[in-house]
Amino acid sequence: MLSLTEKKGEPSLDKFVIHGGKPLFGEVTVSGAKNAAVAIIPAALLVDGVCRVENIPMVRDVVIEMEILRELGIGVRVVNHSTIEIDSRGLNKYSAVSDLNRKMRASYYLIGAFLGRFHRAEVAMPGGCNFGGVRPIDQHMKGFEALGAAIETRNGIVFADASKGGLHGASVYLDVVSVGATMNIMLAACLADGQTVIENAAKEPHIVDLANFLNSMGADIMGAGTDVIKIRGVERLYGGTYSIIPDQIEAGTFMAAVAATGGSVLVRNIIPKHMDCITAKMEEMGAVIEEEDDSIRVTRSGPLRKLQVKTLPYPGFPTDMQPQLAAVLCLAEGTSVITEGVWESRFRYSDELRRMGAKIQVDGKVAVIEGVEGLTGAPVRASDLRAGAALVIAGLAAEGTTEIEEIGYIERGYEDLVEKLRKLGADISRVSEEPAADPIPRAN
Ligand code: EPU
């Protein structure tokens, strides 16, 4: 479990220490999808009743978001390790400007949720993982404006106001396929007057999950999972129970770990269809994949083969699996090429992998990886969530000891990662360190 400081997103000196070189065997159960949970929790603000949400991953971003809701005076009850109840009936604020908001990306969903409920919102601009490039939210704003809100940004706070004319349905064409904008506009449109149509919408499984959650509470959303989503505004949403889908990226991360270390693992609690874009690449690399109804077995005993891959919006290969795949390809025979097709840049982990003996050259959106015989353990630092996951995979496959700093990033999105990997036979532990009296900074 996360400590109080860690829950609040403060930096910590804790590390993962991995003694690598061991194949993984056994079974692992995937948690609920983080990127669905961080949208569904603020979506509960739109509901006039109690929402019981099951299969919640208790990762740091979720814990911070629950804390943000509590700061607003909303009742958030943890029923058990993966179930919460959110009661926002008494909510009478449309302002969330505390420091907690800046600690996570998904706090931007509060703008859509407040707008939907109160026709007004004041929300501190989001923080979250920084891949080294910009992370604009102009498409979210374009959608809110189309629905009738006036938008202004001052002192790091977004002010959205539709209190005069109210929110009305509108047609919104997204200039880029954006997960966040699609979900945020959906939130604002649920209780708006009339029909909203989002064109060129994102199609990720968590978009469908948010729509299913809202529909199960009384919304009228059609087309989620296609690139045209139609939302007919309703009078109100009612409380109910909903279970979040499994995390496609967590499942993919375990699959990549087995591909890197060798071994055979049954990954449970997955939706095989969501995994297609990842399993195709695992098979191309030489892993053997066996699908069952809600699990996938991944086995790797032979050599790894090189790949060409470009990340794309769903159903393309997910950008959130790109660093983990890169870690595996460091060990493949031949030269692989990865093109990042979603973010401006997402290769900050390559410097760290090079410390471990990887041969990676990055030029803009393209990384060229020349496979090596083996990696060697080293002290490394996570620069974001998936970069951290890539370092864990590299550390598990490497000979010797890898120490990973800045694990707070990893704990944003992976629940019980150390415990789950240890059950598969990995030698990984989470070590807490007191600050040194006179710390010597490590050169970057
Ligand atoms: N974009 C714009 N304008 C916008 C919004 C996005 O130009 O208003 C651009 C972005 O710069 C990027 C592309 O559109 O180039 C896609 O961005 P998107 O909006 O889809 O990303 P996001 O919603 O901010 C979510 C996930 C990310 C994941 C991306 C892409 C959450 C909280 N985050 O971010 O997840 O990489 O979709 O699938 O859902 C992660 O989990 O590690 C993570 C970073």
Side-chain angles (χ1 to χ4, degrees):
M1 284 297 273
L2 302 171
S3 74
L4 192 64
T5 322
E6 288 153 359
K7 278 180 185 170
K8 292 195 170 158
E10 304 301 337
S12 90
L13 294 171
D14 298 354
K15 293 177 190 173
F16 287 164
V17 178
I18 306 173
H19 301 289
K22 295 196 167 91
L24 300 177
F25 289 97
E27 293 185 6
V28 63
T29 301
V30 168
S31 301
K34 176 209 82 138
N35 286 346
V38 295
I40 285 174
I41 293 170
L45 264 64
L46 293 165
V47 177
D48 196 5
V50 178
C51 294
R52 185 181 170 99
V53 189
E54 299 170 351
N55 207 28
I56 283 271
M58 283 297 167
V59 295
R60 180 173 308 189
D61 275 6
V62 164
V63 173
I64 294 175
E65 216 171 35
M66 294 194 309
E67 207 52 45
I68 293 174
L69 261 56
R70 288 196 181 108
E71 276 188 359
L72 293 168
I74 294 170
V76 182
R77 193 168 80 86
V78 177
V79 179
N80 61 43
H81 187 59
S82 59
T83 303
I84 60 172
E85 283 181 354
I86 305 172
D87 181 356
S88 33
R89 280 175 295 187
L91 177 67
N92 55 13
K93 279 186 202 159
Y94 52 81
S95 173
V97 294
S98 87
D99 278 352
L100 281 179
N101 281 48
R102 297 193 172 82
K103 293 197 193 301
M104 64 176 299
R105 188 79 196 149
S107 53
Y108 54 40
Y109 292 129
L110 289 168
I111 311 175
F114 279 142
L115 260 183
R117 178 151 174 175
F118 298 110
H119 297 177
R120 291 192 75 169
E122 294 177 10
V123 177
M125 288 285 275
C129 281
N130 173 10
F131 311 137
V134 286
R135 292 188 69 173
I137 55 169
D138 57 297
Q139 298 301 306
H140 306 228
M141 302 306 152
K142 172 179 159 171
F144 299 146
E145 279 174 345
L147 266 67
I151 309 281
E152 216 188 325
T153 306
R154 271 182 281 126
N155 307 116
I157 296 170
V158 175
F159 296 86
D161 189 354
S163 56
K164 287 208 182 81
L167 276 185
H168 50 75
S171 211
V172 184
Y173 180 89
L174 297 181
D175 301 321
V176 286
V177 180
S178 160
V179 170
T182 303
M183 304 229 253
N184 227 342
I185 297 166
M186 215 191 271
L187 292 176
C190 270
L191 299 173
D193 199 9
Q195 178 170 274
T196 298
V197 180
I198 309 175
E199 289 185 75
N200 199 26
K203 297 180 280 207
E204 269 67 5
H206 31 293
I207 307 268
V208 181
D209 209 36
L210 175 64
N212 287 343
F213 165 80
L214 291 165
N215 282 343
S216 75
M217 306 288 152
D220 184 353
I221 302 173
M222 279 171 39
T226 75
D227 45 23
V228 181
I229 302 180
K230 293 185 178 161
I231 306 135
R232 234 187 310 241
V234 295
E235 285 285 313
R236 59 177 282 212
L237 301 183
Y238 303 86
T241 298
Y242 188 78
S243 185
I244 290 181
I245 52 166
D247 198 304
Q248 174 209 31
I249 304 299
E250 187 196 0
T253 301
F254 284 113
M255 291 167 76
V258 181
T261 60
S264 182
V265 168
L266 187 68
V267 183
R268 304 178 77 107
N269 186 34
I270 54 117
I271 297 175
K273 180 81 198 133
H274 294 169
M275 303 309 299
D276 284 352
C277 41
I278 298 169
T279 48
K281 287 295 162 192
M282 294 289 157
E283 284 177 329
E284 228 179 297
M285 280 193 304
V288 176
I289 306 291
E290 296 159 86
E291 273 181 22
E292 287 170 29
D293 286 350
D294 63 353
S295 59
I296 275 187
R297 173 169 292 283
V298 52
T299 306
R300 207 275 289 171
S301 50
L304 287 164
R305 293 192 289 266
K306 65 182 178 181
L307 272 192
Q308 301 247 357
V309 66
K310 179 171 183 177
T311 66
L312 289 168
Y314 189 80
F317 186 83
T319 173
D320 293 344
M321 273 299 298
Q322 183 262 98
Q324 302 90 310
L325 185 75
V328 185
L329 291 175
C330 289
L331 296 161
E333 286 176 352
T335 302
S336 300
V337 179
I338 300 184
T339 307
E340 175 54 52
V342 175
W343 295 106
E344 206 176 297
S345 163
R346 199 175 187 175
F347 296 114
R348 285 174 75 193
Y349 60 83
S350 57
D351 288 342
E352 305 302 291
L353 288 180
R354 271 196 292 272
R355 287 171 170 277
M356 301 176 72
K359 290 194 178 160
I360 308 187
Q361 293 306 322
V362 176
D363 185 6
K365 285 174 172 264
V366 179
V368 177
I369 304 175
E370 197 188 315
V372 293
E373 283 281 314
L375 296 172
T376 48
V380 288
R381 185 174 287 171
S383 55
D384 68 68
L385 165 58
R386 309 301 172 187
L391 298 178
V392 170
I393 291 170
L396 293 171
E399 285 303 324
T401 304
T402 297
E403 293 194 359
I404 306 178
E405 291 178 16
E406 302 286 0
I407 58 171
Y409 284 115
I410 304 173
E411 291 175 341
R412 271 169 187 246
Y414 289 93
E415 185 178 48
D416 300 335
L417 182 62
V418 168
E419 294 76 4
K420 287 182 182 183
L421 285 170
R422 285 172 75 98
K423 280 199 189 129
L424 299 177
D427 185 344
I428 175 169
S429 42
R430 188 184 195 289
V431 177
S432 295
E433 288 215 348
E434 292 303 317
D438 183 17
I440 303 166
R442 201 191 80 191
N444 273 314

